[in-house]
Amino acid sequence: MKNIKVISMIAIISLIWGYLWVTVKIGLEDIPPLLFSSLRLLIGAVILLIVLIARKQKLLPSKREWKPFLYLSLLMCVGYYALSTYGMQFVDSGISSVLVYTMPIIVTILAHFYLREHLTLNKVIGLIVGAVGLLFIMGPAIMHISWNIALFGEIIILISAVFWACTNIYTKKIGSSHDKLKMTMWQLVIGGVLLLVISLVGEHDAITNMTLSQPSILALIYNGVLGSAVAFVGWNWVLGKVQASVASISLMSVPILGLVFGWLQLKEEITVNIVIGAIFVCLGILFTSVQGKKKIDKVTEKIA
């Protein structure tokens, strides 16, 4: 029963994050990237604050919690959210999702060294096949590499993937000793406030001339409520149930969804390379999900 809950949560998060890339691209048409990131985080924080109050939980972190919550905010909110959103100004939503989801590869490597989650044959095969899929999708850009604004954006997004991977490793190490809901809320609050200050200083002119449309407002709400609050708590919960590498690799369906949603709504191009890459990524998920199911079963046996 509990492994079904984990699989279901991963599926929900994948759908939310798969469509999120389209909404970010829509939101950036009117809202500067750092301000967009800040507002989505603060909206998510307000939602979680209401939930904490309704559950009559303690709101303020203890003395020992402030430091890890700050580290999580810097890694995830400033390092991942801000950089990925900034880079998306210059890159299609579908390609952005693919670049960000090099994260599972980075996580699996880091987890081997920092979490003692050793590389198994299934993991290695899944990583190689998934990586080949990503190479097919990114191939044309790599083969015809030249310095331009799109390449700059792609590099920024790849750096953000490294920050997300580091966040997942750190969350896995310290997450079990903290309430997931409170940890997530303060992560969003601290990160949102930090980015708001940076935005007000660095994006002052863009904010002054900003005009909001209904699509950008809806995109911001989607990112704040579903993309930040709901998915963030769900993801931290998943990390507490299974290996960080297994959880991360299971989300490799997100770039495929991102490409499809970008094609459907934003008319972004899907080439033959992208289709072949998608097949390889799905095969990678198949290999790693077999390993992941065994790990989930072991976890549920210990809990039971």
Side-chain angles (χ1 to χ4, degrees):
M1 182 64 180
K2 288 180 180 177
N3 59 337
I4 294 176
K5 288 182 179 179
V6 173
I7 294 170
S8 299
M9 181 58 72
I10 289 174
I12 292 170
I13 294 170
S14 297
L15 287 171
I16 291 173
W17 280 344
Y19 185 65
L20 180 139
W21 304 95
V22 170
T23 64
V24 172
K25 200 69 177 176
I26 293 172
L28 290 178
E29 293 180 5
D30 296 328
I31 306 172
L34 298 184
L35 180 62
F36 184 89
S37 298
S38 171
L39 293 177
R40 69 175 284 191
L41 294 174
L42 293 176
I43 290 172
V46 170
I47 300 296
L48 297 185
L49 175 62
I50 294 172
V51 174
L52 283 171
I53 293 174
R55 292 171 58 176
K56 298 181 180 179
Q57 289 185 231
K58 184 179 178 181
L59 297 180
L60 290 177
S62 63
K63 288 183 179 180
R64 70 178 182 87
E65 289 180 321
W66 280 109
K67 185 180 289 186
F69 288 2
L70 174 61
Y71 289 161
L72 282 172
S73 299
L74 292 174
L75 286 171
M76 188 67 178
C77 299
V78 179
Y80 168 63
Y81 276 121
L83 288 181
S84 62
T85 306
Y86 183 83
M88 279 192 69
Q89 297 176 101
F90 318 113
V91 184
D92 284 349
S93 65
I95 298 300
S96 296
S97 67
V98 171
L99 294 175
V100 162
Y101 280 86
T102 56
M103 177 275 291
I105 299 172
I106 303 168
V107 161
T108 302
I109 296 170
L110 292 177
H112 176 78
F113 293 102
Y114 293 102
L115 298 180
R116 297 182 181 179
E117 296 182 3
H118 300 299
L119 291 173
T120 63
L121 180 60
N122 272 10
K123 286 183 183 178
V124 171
I125 293 174
L127 286 173
I128 293 173
V129 173
V132 169
L134 293 179
L135 285 175
F136 264 102
I137 295 171
M138 297 171 62
I142 295 174
M143 294 297 294
H144 303 93
I145 194 167
S146 60
W147 185 255
N148 53 44
I149 197 65
L151 177 60
F152 171 74
E154 291 171 358
I155 292 172
I156 294 296
I157 293 172
L158 282 172
I159 293 173
S160 77
V162 175
F163 276 101
W164 190 10
C166 292
T167 304
N168 289 338
I169 296 298
Y170 188 66
T171 300
K172 185 66 178 179
K173 288 181 73 71
I174 62 98
S176 60
S177 60
H178 303 283
D179 177 78
K180 298 295 188 296
L181 195 60
K182 185 171 75 171
M183 180 177 74
T184 304
M185 188 204 71
W186 281 102
Q187 191 174 340
L188 299 181
V189 168
I190 297 170
V193 171
L194 286 173
L195 287 179
L196 182 60
V197 172
I198 297 172
S199 173
L200 291 175
V201 174
E203 298 176 330
H204 180 267
D205 291 342
I207 293 173
T208 302
N209 299 319
M210 181 178 64
T211 56
L212 295 176
S213 63
Q214 185 181 21
S216 63
I217 294 173
L218 292 175
L220 185 59
I221 293 173
Y222 180 95
N223 277 261
V225 177
L226 294 179
S228 296
V230 175
F232 219 152
V233 172
W235 177 244
N236 285 338
W237 179 81
V238 168
L239 284 177
K241 297 296 182 182
V242 298
Q243 288 189 357
S245 53
V246 173
S248 299
I249 295 168
S250 69
L251 290 180
M252 287 184 76
S253 58
V254 174
I256 307 303
L257 293 170
L259 287 165
V260 171
F261 289 138
W263 171 69
L264 286 173
Q265 187 164 348
L266 302 180
K267 309 304 179 185
E268 295 175 352
E269 183 181 11
I270 295 183
T271 64
V272 174
N273 273 46
I274 292 174
V275 173
I276 296 173
I279 294 172
F280 272 94
V281 170
C282 290
L283 288 174
I285 295 171
L286 177 62
F287 277 109
T288 54
S289 65
V290 173
Q291 177 75 12
K293 186 179 185 303
K294 292 179 181 178
K295 294 298 180 182
I296 292 171
D297 288 340
K298 287 182 180 180
V299 170
T300 55
E301 286 174 8
K302 290 181 180 179
I303 294 173

